[in-house]
Amino acid sequence: MDAFIFDIGNVLLRFDYGRAHRALARAGAKAAPDMQALESLALRYERGLLDDPSFLRELSGIFGGAVPEETLASAWQEIFEPNGPMWDVVSGLDGKFPLYLLSNTNSLQHAHVERRYEIFSKFSDGVFSYRAGLLKPEPEIFALAIRQFGVRPERTFYIDDLAANIEGARAAGLRAMLYDSDAHGDFVAALRGHGVQCV
């Protein structure tokens, strides 16, 4: 293998939106937001169709308008925790292979995790949905990543936790591996089976 491309959510970092809902409920937000509206808003934000102030205004409306925007932003960001075993893998690969990121994310969360978690200093470049105006598993975002990183897809591992994204990556020619954080040992064994002995 020549290079590795990692997803962020549920690969490098576990996340739980329940944390955001509980934090907002404590701050006075209504307990049962319109989940369809929330999911639609999140997708538009991840595609880069909204700037941060517009997103927070719409989010405030979904949660009843009772929560300050600063509290909304903090709750939206504080959903993550490190996936320690995957960090160990990244540390083993660091310095031996180029490491890249490819993630469906948004500007508030991306800025937060880059600032908070040192693991991201090990990655030399990334393609992020909100900047690209594209979402995985759309073919164009994989093509963009391959072009931007300058990798040979047939010699590049891509790791993601969603089967649809794995299918999209494989269609683009990448050596894609589905990751389950509850079966991390299987992932490490698969890497070693491909000759990656530094993990």
Side-chain angles (χ1 to χ4, degrees):
M1 291 296 102
D2 293 340
F4 286 81
I5 304 173
F6 285 79
D7 180 31
I8 295 178
N10 283 333
V11 176
L12 295 171
L13 302 173
R14 295 175 182 262
F15 68 88
D16 176 12
Y17 276 105
R19 292 181 183 178
H21 294 166
R22 292 188 292 273
L24 292 175
R26 291 192 297 270
K30 65 181 182 181
D34 183 336
M35 293 306 297
Q36 185 173 356
L38 183 57
E39 290 171 6
S40 174
L41 175 62
L43 282 174
R44 287 190 289 127
Y45 190 37
E46 286 190 349
R47 192 180 283 278
L49 299 177
L50 298 168
D51 60 15
D52 293 349
S54 299
F55 167 73
L56 290 171
R57 281 195 299 272
E58 291 198 35
L59 188 64
S60 177
I62 289 173
F63 280 97
V67 181
E69 288 188 0
E70 299 79 16
T71 303
L72 285 169
S74 177
W76 187 255
Q77 293 172 321
E78 294 289 346
I79 64 169
F80 299 100
E81 64 179 10
N83 180 10
M86 187 60 89
W87 284 29
D88 292 340
V89 168
V90 170
S91 294
L93 297 172
D94 183 37
K96 302 174 182 69
F97 298 91
L99 304 178
Y100 304 102
L101 296 165
L102 173 56
S103 180
N104 285 352
T105 188
N106 56 75
S107 62
L108 278 174
Q109 290 178 342
H110 182 215
H112 171 72
V113 300
E114 290 263 354
R115 182 172 59 247
R116 181 165 183 174
Y117 299 112
E118 77 277 3
I119 196 70
F120 292 98
S121 66
K122 300 183 183 299
F123 294 87
S124 57
D125 198 1
V127 168
F128 307 103
S129 62
Y130 74 99
R131 291 179 179 170
L134 300 164
L135 288 168
K136 296 181 297 184
E138 295 168 354
E140 294 83 1
I141 198 167
F142 293 105
L144 172 61
I146 291 166
R147 185 170 63 252
Q148 180 171 314
F149 303 154
V151 295
R152 292 186 292 171
E154 71 279 3
R155 294 189 57 81
T156 302
F157 267 123
Y158 173 66
I159 300 106
D160 199 293
D161 67 311
L162 297 179
N165 295 340
I166 293 298
E167 291 175 10
R170 287 175 178 164
L174 292 161
R175 300 278 294 277
M177 299 178 68
L178 184 65
Y179 179 72
D180 179 353
S181 60
D182 293 327
H184 181 80
D186 294 343
F187 168 73
V188 171
L191 282 185
R192 290 174 178 165
H194 283 282
V196 181
Q197 300 303 318
C198 55
V199 296

